[in-house]
């Protein structure tokens, strides 16, 4: 059993965030036929940030209203890390066993988005650059790439962790 209060607290809220991210991803894929990996990953960022906020706030509340920046940053960072790691692991396993349909949908959506900007991109950057961009979009990523993409992109939430930790920090003062 985990003895460290910060790790235990972060694992709890990170697991809830991951579960919600996974449910949203499954709804996106099976319900509205959108890939949860591309630009439709935006709700997952919001979910992580919300649970980072909740985790830091509840940690401060259970710590008699005091919170140092280091504690807040640790809780937020670990909450985000656990959420991203659990979600990325689920995506990896899902893609290994369910096939590449979600990845192929992601590639299709990327190609369609690039084709929408074809004229302006060719005008601004040239045909060769557009062709290179289109070829990159047509490459089919592996489940391992999706795993690393999820972990890497979710680390942008560290900006939110820092801001929330600064806002919520509160120290106790003694007057002598």
């Amino acid at each position: 059993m985990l003895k460290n209060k910060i790790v235990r607290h972060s694992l709890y809220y990170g697991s809830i965030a991951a579960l919600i991210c996974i449910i949203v991803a499954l709804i996106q894929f099976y319900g509205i036929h959108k890939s949860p990996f591309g630009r439709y990953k935006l709700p997952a960022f919001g979910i992580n940030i919300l649970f980072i906020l909740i985790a830091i706030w509840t940690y401060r509340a259970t710590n008699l209203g005091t919170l140092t920046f280091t504690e807040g940053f640790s809780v937020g960072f670990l909450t985000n890390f656990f959420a991203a790691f659990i979600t990325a692991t689920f995506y990896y396993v899902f893609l290994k066993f369910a096939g590449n349909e979600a990845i192929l949908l992601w590639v299709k959506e990327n190609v369609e988005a690039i084709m929408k900007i074809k004229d302006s991109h060719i005008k601004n950057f040239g045909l060769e650059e557009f062709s290179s961009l289109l070829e990159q979009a047509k490459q089919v990523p592996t489940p391992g790439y999706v795993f690393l993409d999820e972990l890497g992109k979710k680390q942008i939430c560290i900006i939110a962790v820092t801001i929330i930790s600064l806002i919520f920090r509160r120290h106790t003062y003694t007057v002598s």
Side-chain angles (χ1 to χ4, degrees):
M1 180 147 183
L2 295 173
K3 293 185 180 202
N4 187 317
K5 181 180 175 182
I6 290 175
V7 174
R8 215 176 38 247
H9 190 85
S10 300
L11 182 59
Y12 175 75
Y13 286 100
S15 297
I16 294 171
L19 180 64
I20 294 171
C21 285
I22 291 166
I23 290 169
V24 168
L26 291 172
I27 290 170
Q28 286 174 318
F29 182 61
Y30 289 112
I32 61 174
H33 307 291
K34 300 290 181 192
S35 175
F37 308 126
R39 63 179 180 253
Y40 297 103
K41 191 184 284 197
L42 192 58
F45 285 106
I47 292 164
N48 273 24
I49 291 171
L50 176 65
F51 275 90
I52 288 166
L53 183 121
I54 292 169
I56 294 172
W57 181 72
T58 58
Y59 183 85
R60 184 179 85 172
T62 60
N63 202 29
L64 302 174
T66 61
L67 179 77
T68 65
F69 173 78
T70 307
E71 288 172 323
F73 188 84
S74 297
V75 167
F77 177 83
L78 288 173
T79 299
N80 182 58
F81 176 76
F82 289 137
F85 185 77
I86 292 167
T87 305
T89 302
F90 173 82
Y91 288 167
Y92 179 83
V93 172
F94 175 77
L95 293 170
K96 279 294 199 183
F97 291 106
N100 282 347
E101 186 180 346
I103 290 178
L104 294 176
L105 183 57
W106 183 18
V107 170
K108 179 183 169 222
E109 290 168 353
N110 287 341
V111 170
E112 288 172 355
I114 290 170
M115 292 307 290
K116 285 181 183 177
I117 63 165
K118 178 181 180 180
D119 293 334
S120 66
H121 197 85
I122 290 173
K123 180 181 172 189
N124 294 324
F125 302 104
L127 182 58
E128 187 176 323
E129 180 68 29
F130 175 77
S131 298
S132 174
L133 182 64
L134 189 58
E135 284 306 310
Q136 287 176 2
K138 289 180 180 179
Q139 293 178 3
V140 178
T142 64
Y145 175 86
V146 173
F147 176 86
L148 293 174
D149 183 65
E150 178 69 14
L151 275 180
K153 286 185 179 167
K154 289 279 181 77
Q155 296 317 307
I156 273 184
C157 294
I158 291 173
I159 297 166
V161 168
T162 304
I163 293 168
I164 294 166
S165 298
L166 285 170
I167 292 170
F168 280 2
R169 74 176 192 261
R170 187 180 300 163
H171 303 279
T172 58
Y173 299 100
T174 57
V175 179
S176 300

